[in-house]
Amino acid sequence: MRPEAVAAMLPFLSESFANPSGGHRAARAAKTALEQAREVVAGALGAAPGEVIFTAGGTEADNLGIEGSGRAARAAGLGDGVVTCAFEHKAVLAACHRLEREGFRVQRVPATRGGLVELDALADALDDETVVVSVMLVNNEVGTVQPFDRVAEVVEAHAPRAVLHTDAVQAVPWLDVATAAARARLVSVSAHKFGGPKGTGALVARSGVALQPLLEGGGQERDLRAGTVNVAGAVAMATALQITTERRSVEVARVARLRDRLLDGLSESVDGLFENGDHAHKVAGSCHVGIRGIEAEMLLVALDQAGLCAAAGSSCASGATEPSHVLAAMGLPRPDAMSSIRLSLGFASTDADVDAALELVPAAIGTLRRSQAATR
Amino acid sequence: MKVLVAMSGGVDSSVAAALLLEAGHEVTGVTLRLWGGETDSGCCSVADVEDARRVAAQLGVAHYVFNLSAEFEEAVVEPYATAYASGSTPNPCVECNRSIKFGQLLARSEALGFDSLATGHHARVLHDDDGIMRLRRGVDARKDQSYVLYMLGQQELSRTMLPIGEITKAEVREHAARLGLRTATKAESMDVCFVRREDRRDFVDARMSPRPGPVVDTSGRVLAEHAGVAGFTVGQRRGLGVAVGAPRYVVAVDAGSATVTVGTRADLACDHVVVRDVCWAASPPPPDMCLAVQTRAHGTTGFGWIDGDVVRLREPMTRVASGQVVALYDGDVLVGGGIAD
C-alpha cells in the first residue's frame, strides 16, 4: 500500500470508528469523511459523487454492474442479451455465467493473438435485445489496453439498448480512467491495484443506469449496496487514487523504462523468449513472457526459492496454477501458455528489482535447462 | 539434504515433513493438484491443500502446489475407466505412484535441485551394504504400503526418503499430537481420491458407454443379463443378479463379448498368473527363488517364483483379477512384481 493511504485509514480504525449512517456527532464526522472520499473517487474517475457505489473490491463491482444492470433491463422488458470477451477477468465471466443460468443469452467474443477484443466479432454478437456489454479496459494478465472508444462506437451502432460496462481494475495505475472509460456507463475499480487496501473497490454507475442490488438490507449506497460502509477503506482508496492520479505521468514513464530494461535484458540473455500481448498496446508495468521448453510452474518455484515473486496464469483457490484462460482466448498454443510467466512492475518497483530479476531469471532458466538436458 | 516432501494434507505426510525437519534436513513441501472435481473424495480438494499449506507454515517451511491434473487424467484416470470398461480391475494408486509421484514429481524435484523426494508412505528404503537399495515393508505391518510401491527401481529408491515406514501409525499420531499439527486427528482416506467406491460404476459408465451382456455359468448357460462389465471384478460374490443354490463368484470377465462368467469357489483356483509391467527393485531374482506372493494391499496369499512373464504358484490360489498388482517378497523385502494380465 502507499504509505499515505495507510496513514489516511488509521484514524477510522481507531478514534473515528463511528458508523457513518448514525445521527450523532461522531457519525457525522465519519459520514463527512466518507462523502469526501466519494468526491475524490468520483473526480478521479470522471463521475459525479452520486454515481459512485463503494463495494468490497473489484469482483463485487463487476458482479453488481453486470448482474444488476442485466436483471434490471430484463425486468423492464428491454431484452436478454449479454456480450463479453472470452479473456475477461473471472469476476466478469462468472457474472455472465450466472446470468446465463438465469436464462440470458450470453456470447463471449474471442480476442486477437495480440490480446485485443475482436471488434468484428463483437459487432456480430450484438443486437437490439442486447442489454449488457462488458469489455475490460486493460487485460489483467497480458496488460493490453483495449480500443475502448471503438468498442463504444460498435456497441452504440449495433446494440442501442445495451449498457456498456468496463472492468477498469487493471487500468487505474496506467491510464486516466476518466478519459479512457468516458463512454462506459458502468466502471469497476479495485483499491489494491493502485496502492489502496484489499477488499475495497467501487462501481461507477452513471445516472440513468438501472441496477438491481446484489446485497439488500439497510439501504446504504442509495439502496444499491446494503451493509455498513467501510469508511477506512473508502478514505484510503480515495487517498491512493488521488496520489496515483497526481503522479501517474511520472510513474508511468519511470515504470515503462524499468519494464523495457527488464524485457530487453531478458530477450538478450534468455534463448527462446517470446512476449505475450501486442507490445505497442501494453501498459507500462506489464512484462508477460514465455520461455520455450520451460514449464512456468517449475520456473516459479525456482524463482521463489531465489527470492523473486512472479505469477503464471491465474491462481485458483487451492494455489495451483491453472492454464490461463486469457492466453487460451488469444489462441496461444497450450505449450506456449504453460511456459509463460508474468513479471509485473508497479509504482514500488526499482532499478534494483530489475537488476535482481535480470540476474535471477536467466540463472533459474539456465539451471532448469541444464537439469532437463541431464535427465534426457 | 535438500528434501522435497509430497504433502497431501494428511497426518502421515505432515509428520514425514516434521521428522525430516527435526533430523536437520532442508525441507520444502509440495502438494499436487491432481483432480479436485466434484467427485473428489481424497487428497486434492481445496481443504486438503489448505491443510498441507498450514502444516508447512507451522513448520516454517516453503510450500508449493503443482498442478499435474492433465498428467493425472492421462496416466491414471483415463486408463482407470478404460480398464474397468475392458473387464479388468485397475489399481489407480499404483499408476499414480508410478507416473505421477515417482515419475513427474520425482523428475521435477531433481530439476529443482532437491537431493531427495519424501512421501508419507508406510514402507522403508533400505541402503544395503552391497550398495543396493531395497524397499522393505513398513514397521507397522497393518499399514504397510510397499505393495503399491512395487515399481520403484534403483534410480527411484536412490532419491526417495520414506521416514514414516520406520514408525507405527500410533507413533505417527503421537508425533502429530506432540507437534500440535492440525492434521493429528484427521481421518484416513479410504477411497480412490477421484471417485468414491459406491460411485465407481457411474463414473466409468459416464466415460465409457456401458454395453449390456449375459452372465453365464462355466458351461456357457445364460443365467442373467447385466448392464455392463464395469460392474464386475473377478472374485466378486455380491450383486451378480443370479439366484442359484451355492455361492457363485465371478471367475472371468470378457469385455469383447460383454460376457461375465460365474462359477464356484473351485473355479476361481489358479496355479499361475501372467504379469505385465514387471519391475524389480534391483536385479531380477533367480528363476528358482521361492518368494512370497502378495495380490492385495495387505497379507500374502502364497508362494511362487518368476518364470519369464509368469508367476508360477507353489499351491493353487484364488484367481487374481486382471489389473491387480502381484508383488513378490523375500521376507519383508520387496523384490518386485507386475500387473496381472
Side-chain angles (χ1 to χ4, degrees):
Chain A
M1 273 178 73
R2 291 185 187 270
E4 299 89 341
V6 176
M9 80 189 295
L10 286 178
F12 299 94
L13 300 172
S14 47
E15 66 262 30
S16 301
F17 195 67
N19 183 338
S21 302
H24 48 74
R25 184 188 308 265
R28 280 198 299 278
K31 177 75 175 165
T32 302
L34 178 66
E35 294 314 316
Q36 279 172 351
R38 195 185 305 278
E39 282 169 24
V40 169
V41 170
L45 299 178
E51 295 175 330
V52 173
I53 303 161
F54 286 118
T55 66
T59 293
E60 187 194 337
D62 284 340
N63 281 207
L64 175 59
I66 293 165
E67 295 177 33
S69 65
R71 290 178 190 138
R74 187 162 74 165
L78 295 175
D80 61 356
V82 176
V83 177
T84 188
C85 183
F87 75 168
E88 291 289 319
H89 190 274
K90 291 279 178 72
V92 167
L93 295 176
C96 293
H97 188 58
R98 161 64 64 186
L99 290 181
E100 194 166 41
R101 289 199 302 267
E102 292 175 13
F104 284 80
R105 295 175 296 131
V106 176
Q107 292 183 77
R108 297 160 187 89
V109 174
T112 65
R113 187 60 184 267
L116 302 178
V117 58
E118 289 249 24
L119 291 170
D120 291 344
L122 176 66
D124 289 345
L126 302 170
D127 58 42
D128 287 345
E129 305 267 286
T130 305
V131 289
V132 185
V133 179
S134 182
V135 175
M136 67 203 330
L137 213 48
V138 173
N139 182 269
N140 57 308
E141 285 187 30
V142 293
T144 43
V145 181
Q146 302 302 305
F148 199 75
D149 285 338
R150 298 283 310 286
V151 167
E153 283 165 22
V154 169
V155 172
E156 283 156 23
H158 295 90
R161 292 177 171 183
V163 171
L164 178 58
H165 166 261
T166 190
D167 173 347
V169 167
Q170 212 67 31
V172 177
W174 318 111
L175 305 179
D176 173 21
V177 172
T179 311
R183 297 176 75 167
R185 312 290 310 283
L186 294 164
V187 182
S188 302
V189 298
S190 182
H192 76 276
K193 295 291 182 183
F194 49 84
K198 294 175 189 66
T200 303
L203 176 69
V204 168
R206 305 220 192 269
S207 67
V209 175
L211 279 184
Q212 282 187 9
L214 299 180
L215 303 179
E216 294 176 278
Q220 290 88 345
E221 301 295 278
R222 309 193 328 276
D223 277 337
L224 292 171
R225 201 280 185 185
T228 300
V229 183
N230 176 0
V231 179
V235 167
M237 173 162 68
T239 304
L241 185 51
Q242 190 163 27
I243 292 170
T244 298
T245 307
E246 286 165 8
R247 299 183 191 164
R248 189 181 285 121
S249 60
V250 175
E251 278 179 353
V252 165
R254 189 183 70 86
V255 173
R257 190 182 55 75
L258 291 178
R259 190 271 317 269
D260 291 345
R261 194 160 76 78
L262 175 63
L263 188 61
D264 293 348
L266 290 178
S267 304
E268 274 170 34
S269 57
V270 176
D271 285 341
L273 184 119
F274 56 93
E275 186 176 17
N276 293 314
D278 189 344
H279 188 80
H281 290 99
K282 284 164 83 96
V283 294
S286 169
C287 179
H288 196 302
V289 294
I291 305 105
R292 295 216 162 77
I294 292 287
E295 270 188 276
E297 211 168 50
M298 293 282 280
L299 181 55
L300 296 183
V301 172
L303 290 176
D304 187 62
Q305 292 186 315
L308 186 84
C309 300
S314 51
S315 287
C316 81
S318 73
T321 307
E322 300 285 305
S324 160
H325 74 281
V326 171
L327 298 179
M330 287 162 52
L332 209 68
R334 193 181 152 91
D336 285 352
M338 296 304 278
S339 59
S340 291
I341 64 165
R342 247 188 303 162
L343 297 158
S344 304
L345 293 87
F347 68 87
S349 301
T350 63
D351 269 301
D353 295 337
V354 173
D355 291 339
L358 285 176
E359 189 181 320
L360 297 175
V361 177
I365 292 169
T367 307
L368 289 176
R369 283 193 167 145
R370 276 192 299 279
S371 69
Q372 278 174 357
T375 351
R376 268 186 207 120
Chain B
M1 284 212 286
K2 251 185 101 179
V3 186
L4 185 66
V5 184
M7 298 175 70
S8 67
V11 65
D12 291 325
S13 54
S14 298
V15 170
L19 293 181
L20 290 168
L21 192 65
E22 286 184 346
H25 295 291
E26 193 185 321
V27 169
T28 297
V30 66
T31 303
L32 301 181
R33 184 173 164 82
L34 302 175
W35 188 248
E38 280 177 15
T39 57
D40 198 309
S41 62
C43 50
C44 27
S45 67
V46 172
D48 289 316
V49 173
E50 199 49 40
D51 277 340
R53 196 198 313 279
R54 295 278 298 274
V55 168
Q58 194 179 345
L59 298 174
V61 304
H63 175 263
Y64 301 103
V65 181
F66 282 151
N67 188 349
L68 293 178
S69 50
E71 291 84 350
F72 187 70
E73 166 67 31
E74 190 189 331
V76 181
V77 183
E78 188 58 33
Y80 170 88
T82 310
Y84 263 118
S86 63
S88 75
T89 307
N91 189 327
C93 300
V94 168
E95 296 317 312
C96 180
N97 285 332
R98 190 199 309 273
S99 302
I100 306 295
K101 294 199 184 93
F102 296 95
Q104 296 277 346
L105 182 59
L106 188 61
R108 283 184 171 214
S109 74
E110 205 170 334
L112 288 168
F114 290 95
D115 302 308
S116 260
L117 173 70
T119 71
H121 283 108
H122 284 265
R124 287 175 284 175
V125 179
L126 195 65
H127 298 239
D128 265 351
D129 296 338
D130 52 9
I132 291 175
M133 324 283 294
R134 292 190 166 82
L135 189 74
R136 216 172 152 195
R137 290 190 191 279
V139 162
D140 192 332
R142 284 169 309 166
K143 293 290 168 190
D144 172 49
Q145 291 174 307
S146 55
Y147 175 77
V148 292
L149 299 173
Y150 92 89
M151 79 297 296
L152 300 184
Q154 290 297 293
Q155 210 187 336
E156 291 82 20
L157 290 170
S158 67
R159 306 190 69 93
T160 297
M161 296 175 90
L162 305 172
I164 295 305
E166 312 288 339
I167 57 179
T168 65
K169 185 78 183 191
E171 287 168 326
V172 171
R173 295 225 182 260
E174 280 167 25
H175 279 295
R178 167 178 67 83
L179 295 159
L181 298 181
R182 53 191 277 111
T183 48
T185 56
K186 205 169 155 175
E188 282 187 64
S189 53
M190 300 301 282
D191 279 325
V192 170
C193 71
F194 54 88
V195 59
R196 280 186 298 270
R197 191 163 306 169
E198 63 269 27
D199 300 333
R200 189 235 301 160
R201 180 79 178 272
D202 290 342
F203 183 87
V204 173
D205 287 353
R207 285 172 169 252
M208 323 282 301
S209 344
R211 196 152 61 92
V215 177
V216 301
D217 66 15
T218 46
S219 68
R221 190 164 57 99
V222 176
L223 305 175
E225 296 293 322
H226 66 79
V229 295
F232 299 91
T233 296
V234 169
Q236 175 181 338
R237 186 154 77 111
R238 296 207 183 98
L240 302 186
V242 295
V244 279
R248 286 291 183 277
Y249 301 82
V250 174
V251 298
V253 180
D254 178 30
S257 61
T259 302
V260 174
T261 308
V262 300
T264 62
R265 185 152 190 92
D267 293 325
L268 269 179
C270 68
D271 62 2
H272 72 279
V273 190
V274 178
V275 288
R276 57 179 165 82
D277 295 328
V278 172
C279 300
W280 304 113
S283 48
D288 54 351
M289 186 176 179
C290 191
L291 298 162
V293 180
Q294 185 170 329
T295 61
R296 52 177 185 243
H298 298 284
T300 53
T301 34
F303 288 89
W305 60 94
I306 188 80
D307 175 10
D309 58 357
V310 178
V311 176
R312 308 245 174 239
L313 302 165
R314 206 169 61 184
E315 292 96 23
M317 67 179 201
T318 306
R319 190 168 302 175
V320 185
S322 152
Q324 291 294 288
V325 171
V326 179
L328 301 171
Y329 289 83
D330 178 13
D332 64 356
V333 171
L334 179 92
V335 177
I339 304 284
D341 207 14

